[in-house]
Amino acid sequence: MDFIYLNPIFEAHSNHRYNTADYLNVDPLLGTNEDFEALCTAAQKYGIGIVLDGVFSHTGSDSRYFNREGRYGEGGAYRDPNSPYRCWYDFGPQYKGGYRSWWGFETLPEVDEETPSYVEFITGPGGVIDTWLRRGAAGFRLDVADELPDEFIEKVRAAVKRVSPEKFLLGEVWEDATTKFGFNKRRTYLLGKGLDSVMNYPFKNAVLDFVKGKPAEQAMTEILTICEHYPAPAMDTALNFLSTHDTERALTVIADEPANGRGRAWQSGRCVTGDAYEEGLLRLRMAFAIIYTLPGVPCLYYGDEIAMQGYRDPFNRAFFRWDAHEQRLRPVLAQLAQLRHTCEAFRTGQLRVLRAEDGILHYQRVGKVETAEIIVNRTEHIIVETLASGKSTEVNPMGFTIVVEEVGHNPNHSYYDYV
């Protein structure tokens, strides 16, 4: 099954909608609850599930729960000490604005995820999780999972699986999720009681660094470390990507210079062109070949298929360029996606590294009925690489080759070679 992961769709009073105003309703700018249900039904006919972004560490100050701005009458935690939502928040003179807020942003008051009424509202029968999954969502991605207590995440998981064991829970974690510390203890959210899997930022960093010039040995060591640490079910479903709404666009990382603290005026005027753009496109293509063939589930951030550029928020969140002339990545990505669907080795096959040296990555995904062999050549010259079968193949500079063979058969099942 394929999935579309949406950033928050709940009612909010900002474009990014990470300041939730109403957890139980779609933002009117996006449609209605009935529209969402219709979307899920239509997507399911094509084998596509809709995944929602759950922002449960904070709400918006301009929400029916907090209501600092008074949009929702005289109720709400900020205006009414007797509000049923008052206990969700931490008020006190020690805080700027008089209440604890997410990273000091007063428009994002933090909630206490251990408050029983809040936990029940999110995870109880008829609660937020239950409501949206029964409306048709395939699962949730938990925003800032590191900032949610393990016990709360476990209750979210219980709510998800109560609807169906096929529904899943993904977490935003930027580091190795098995060695992560938080709340003064080692986190347990990837031990089978919490998250099904996580966003795979370590893979993103390793792959982008490799195509930019990091030695293959170092990049593969970082990749193998995650593969060795993660339980197999979590590794097979980890979300692999090159860009997100929280990071610079992949092409900007590859082809432009780091922002290094320079302001939005400088960032907004940047656009890679000419030879740097053409070389960046080749490197981006190699990066996608790796992401689509490593363990985990590849995720394409909208606009990367047309090589959109941009530094961090808001430049990585620009509107989709429907008039884009760049179409060269599309057939490559389509073929890589087709490989994922047709070759079982890419879904659960074992990762075996045959060579990781300087600018060359050569590895296998070994499945039960098929074996895929991937060679990525970052160098500026053609290489002749010996396959595991003993045959040899040429790999073009700044290119990659993928060979898929049926186990026990000599003839190639598929052969892909990109210049």
Side-chain angles (χ1 to χ4, degrees):
M1 191 171 188
D2 294 321
F3 298 93
I4 297 175
Y5 152 50
L6 303 175
N7 285 147
I9 65 168
F10 307 148
E11 181 183 333
H13 304 295
S14 71
N15 288 337
H16 59 73
R17 297 184 182 83
Y18 280 93
N19 54 342
T20 306
D22 186 340
Y23 280 111
L24 297 175
N25 289 295
V26 171
D27 192 293
L29 287 176
L30 301 178
T32 65
N33 295 340
E34 291 73 24
D35 291 333
F36 175 76
E37 293 179 20
L39 171 65
C40 292
T41 300
Q44 193 170 29
K45 293 178 181 177
Y46 294 93
I48 298 173
I50 304 297
V51 179
L52 294 180
D53 205 335
V55 186
F56 302 135
S57 66
H58 54 272
T59 67
S61 61
D62 190 5
S63 68
R64 65 173 63 256
Y65 316 109
F66 199 75
N67 197 30
R68 186 184 69 175
E69 284 74 11
R71 186 189 300 265
Y72 298 91
E74 292 304 314
Y78 185 82
R79 293 173 171 269
D80 181 7
N82 297 314
S83 167
Y85 308 124
R86 182 82 177 188
C87 60
W88 292 8
Y89 304 93
D90 186 9
F91 291 89
Q94 70 271 33
Y95 301 117
K96 181 182 177 182
Y99 52 89
R100 181 164 54 95
S101 55
W102 188 75
W103 289 86
F105 294 103
E106 291 183 49
T107 57
L108 301 174
E110 278 198 39
V111 298
D112 181 354
E113 300 91 357
E114 295 178 341
T115 299
S117 63
Y118 180 73
V119 174
E120 182 69 13
F121 175 71
I122 299 296
T123 68
V128 174
I129 300 295
D130 197 54
T131 296
W132 288 100
L133 294 183
R134 294 189 188 281
R135 285 175 178 167
F140 272 89
R141 174 260 195 191
L142 289 185
D143 185 57
V144 292
D146 290 341
E147 300 177 21
L148 301 172
D150 284 304
E151 294 77 9
F152 178 77
I153 293 176
E154 289 171 16
K155 290 176 181 177
V156 172
R157 178 188 179 85
V160 169
K161 302 302 181 182
R162 187 170 61 236
V163 176
S164 170
E166 299 302 314
K167 308 285 187 180
F168 69 92
L169 187 63
L170 183 77
E172 178 193 10
V173 179
W174 286 52
E175 302 84 12
D176 183 335
T178 63
T179 60
K180 179 73 179 181
F181 274 76
F183 298 95
N184 297 314
K185 63 179 182 179
R186 190 164 185 162
R187 302 304 301 270
T188 62
Y189 41 44
L190 210 60
L191 299 181
K193 299 183 295 181
L195 303 170
D196 288 313
S197 197
V198 294
M199 299 179 72
N200 202 345
Y201 277 94
F203 271 23
K204 176 190 85 75
N205 297 334
V207 171
L208 289 179
D209 286 346
F210 167 72
V211 299
K212 286 166 57 182
K214 174 184 280 189
E217 300 94 322
Q218 288 181 263
M220 188 51 77
T221 295
E222 294 169 9
I223 290 168
L224 289 175
T225 297
I226 295 297
C227 293
E228 290 168 358
H229 286 185
Y230 283 21
M235 190 68 255
D236 290 338
T237 54
L239 196 67
N240 297 342
F241 47 84
L242 297 177
S243 308
T244 75
H245 64 284
D246 287 322
T247 64
E248 298 90 342
R249 290 269 181 184
L251 186 61
T252 296
V253 174
I254 292 169
D256 209 341
E257 59 182 288
N260 287 336
R262 285 175 286 201
R264 290 187 173 185
W266 180 87
Q267 295 179 41
S268 67
R270 301 293 297 183
C271 183
V272 176
T273 59
D275 291 343
Y277 174 85
E278 293 298 325
E279 183 177 315
L281 210 62
L282 291 175
R283 295 179 186 271
L284 181 57
R285 197 164 57 175
M286 286 189 291
F288 275 123
I290 300 170
I291 283 295
Y292 271 74
T293 56
L294 283 176
V297 178
C299 175
L300 180 64
Y301 184 51
Y302 83 94
D304 275 3
E305 72 273 29
I306 54 171
M308 284 178 62
Q309 302 179 41
Y311 289 88
R312 289 195 176 192
D313 180 16
F315 306 108
N316 56 356
R317 303 182 183 185
F319 61 84
F320 186 83
R321 295 294 303 271
W322 294 104
D323 60 347
H325 297 294
E326 181 55 75
Q327 301 293 326
R328 288 174 288 178
L329 286 173
R330 285 181 181 270
V332 179
L333 289 165
Q335 207 159 25
L336 288 171
Q338 183 65 18
L339 267 177
R340 290 280 313 186
H341 281 285
T342 58
C343 179
E344 55 89 23
F346 288 123
R347 294 189 289 277
T348 58
Q350 179 184 354
L351 174 65
R352 291 181 185 171
V353 180
L354 301 181
R355 183 183 179 195
E357 184 178 6
D358 299 327
I360 300 170
L361 276 179
H362 182 181
Y363 55 94
Q364 289 179 304
R365 295 294 306 282
V366 182
K368 294 181 179 178
V369 298
E370 291 177 309
T371 295
E373 205 156 332
I374 302 95
I375 306 165
V376 182
N377 177 20
R378 197 193 62 210
T379 73
E380 297 182 357
H381 56 270
I382 293 177
I383 63 170
V384 177
E385 190 76 0
T386 302
L387 299 171
S389 63
K391 296 176 289 186
S392 295
T393 185
E394 289 186 350
V395 188
N396 288 305
M398 293 288 190
F400 64 91
T401 292
I402 301 174
V403 178
V404 179
E405 296 183 344
E406 295 181 16
V407 173
H409 292 74
N410 213 7
N412 289 345
H413 178 257
S414 305
Y415 188 87
Y416 302 88
D417 190 8
Y418 291 99
V419 178

